[in-house]
Amino acid sequence: MSFFNGVREYLTGNIMQGGDTKHECLYNEFGYPEQVMYEQCRRAYDRIGIAKGSIHCLKDKAFQTMPNIYEGEEERDESTPDTAIDKQFKRFAKRTQLWRVYSDVTVRRSVGIYAGLIIQIADDKDWNEPAENVRPDQVVKFIPVWQDQLLVSEWDMEPLSPNWGEPLSYSYLAFDPQSVKTAIAAPTRAKTIHCSRVIYFGDIRGDGSSPTTETMVLRNGYNSLKTIEKVVGAGGEGAYKNAARHIALNFDGQVQPAQLAQMLGCKVNELGDAFNKIGKDLNLNFDAVLALMGANADVLSTQLPDLGQPFDNAMQDFAASRQIPSTIIVGMQTGERASSEDNISFALRAQSYRENVLDYEIEKMLQAFAKIGLWDGVEWAIKWDSLINSTELEKAELAKVMSETMLNIVNAGYQEPLYTLEQIRVAAGQPAKLPQSEEDKGLDDRSKEFDDIDIEE
């Protein structure tokens, strides 16, 4: 654990203790940990479906369409053609699967305090050397890593340095194909990596100074996750035990143990084991027979309580911690009106996640690219498609309003149009330009041939 993380956990632990002045051991009585660490959040993500679903549903919604990265500071409409740099970056992102890998990193950052993206570069240098003057074709791939795979081995502690408090190098627990695999985990070996080859996302210092807020997102709702786990586990265990047909044999006072032992072919002190074998045979075989010698056989069962209310209470609390409707997390639709409202609320949540978290991280990633020579000096703009999709009727209504506005402007004598025809077509959900017919293409070709003829004056 780093110094920053140690201080943070110490302060957090002391603040959490004694939250309930009357019940000092309330968390212990409920089985909740006093402090929620990365390992517990990772285990919850790996083992509790609701925990994983809450992270992936937001990620999947935010990356429903990939971001459009283009050169320039101003927004451009769809009719503006891509520049050469735009096309080069799109080819680069497609070849390296940049957005797929980055979306995976956002999941790892959400589970832990931070996550990393390693840039594998074919520059004939060791990973512990700085990367400089890198060309796009030299980037082999991007490697997403979990928090416990990427540890800071050296910090910049120079007070006058502009990068004070930032990592200088990392220790990466890399896969080691030369080692022998075990049944527990894949073999790893520590590999030192220079900071220029790693982009971290999240609060790597652990002091809360990072602008990124979507870190350890399961911490706030962890108690509710454990409650859900207990409710589901208790319900499953109770149903299993009821279905297991635990049998109780009640013998009257006239039956002697020696007679039972003789009937079962065992000694008196072995009667317990003999009865257990009978019960096991009954549960394993459909055609097993139970011979009774003046005894009554009863099945031990209990009436399970309705676990729906405790589950729903915990589910609502966890959903509130994630700011996602519970119906979205579990995929339950309870009515058209309710589901529509939840979907709109969730789309707004994902839109906010894009603008407040992902845009910042993408800008940070582009700056890291520039530091190693990738498109250095290029100003980038980030644009996403809207997640608040309009219906076809709403699109047609918007296009109608835009057209009527244009007509009113022309009738008023203004020459400068407010909208272009392409913008109105896009608002209606149509391509900016109509596809050319074969006849129009032929006219264009003949016109180009005519333009190429030299006319002597």
Side-chain angles (χ1 to χ4, degrees), residues 197-254:
R197 300 174 184 269
V198 177
I199 309 171
Y200 75 82
F201 302 98
D203 189 16
I204 198 169
R205 289 183 293 273
D207 58 357
S209 61
S210 172
T212 301
T213 57
E214 286 285 328
T215 58
M216 283 193 76
V217 299
L218 301 179
R219 190 207 300 258
N220 296 107
Y222 186 80
N223 289 356
S224 295
L225 282 176
K226 297 306 292 183
T227 299
I228 290 172
E229 189 177 40
K230 291 176 184 178
V231 169
V232 173
E237 182 71 9
Y240 166 75
K241 288 183 176 179
N242 269 356
R245 293 189 305 174
H246 292 94
I247 299 174
L249 296 177
N250 296 319
F251 293 94
D252 58 31
Q254 298 180 355

Side-chain angles (χ1 to χ4, degrees), residues 349-422:
R349 168 77 165 92
Q351 192 78 25
S352 174
Y353 179 55
R354 281 178 170 182
E355 296 171 358
N356 296 313
V357 178
L358 300 185
D359 279 359
Y360 163 76
E361 292 185 340
I362 293 174
E363 289 174 1
K364 179 180 180 178
M365 182 165 53
L366 295 173
Q367 291 170 4
F369 289 166
K371 288 180 180 179
I372 62 176
L374 292 171
W375 300 286
D376 189 14
V378 176
E379 293 289 339
W380 296 103
I382 306 170
K383 184 178 181 181
W384 300 82
D385 293 338
S386 176
L387 292 174
I388 313 299
N389 294 325
S390 302
T391 64
E392 295 300 322
L393 181 60
E394 291 170 338
K395 292 177 182 178
E397 191 67 28
L398 177 59
K400 177 183 177 182
V401 172
M402 293 172 69
S403 302
E404 291 175 349
T405 303
M406 281 282 295
L407 181 60
N408 293 335
I409 289 175
V410 172
N411 292 336
Y414 293 99
Q415 299 297 322
E416 186 70 23
L418 183 60
Y419 306 110
T420 65
L421 180 59
E422 287 79 7

Side-chain angles (χ1 to χ4, degrees), residues 6-27:
V7 171
R8 184 178 188 277
E9 295 299 340
Y10 172 79
L11 294 175
T12 304
N14 281 278
I15 292 172
M16 291 285 290
Q17 291 175 2
D20 190 321
T21 57
K22 185 176 180 180
H23 306 94
E24 296 182 357
C25 300
L26 194 63
Y27 273 12

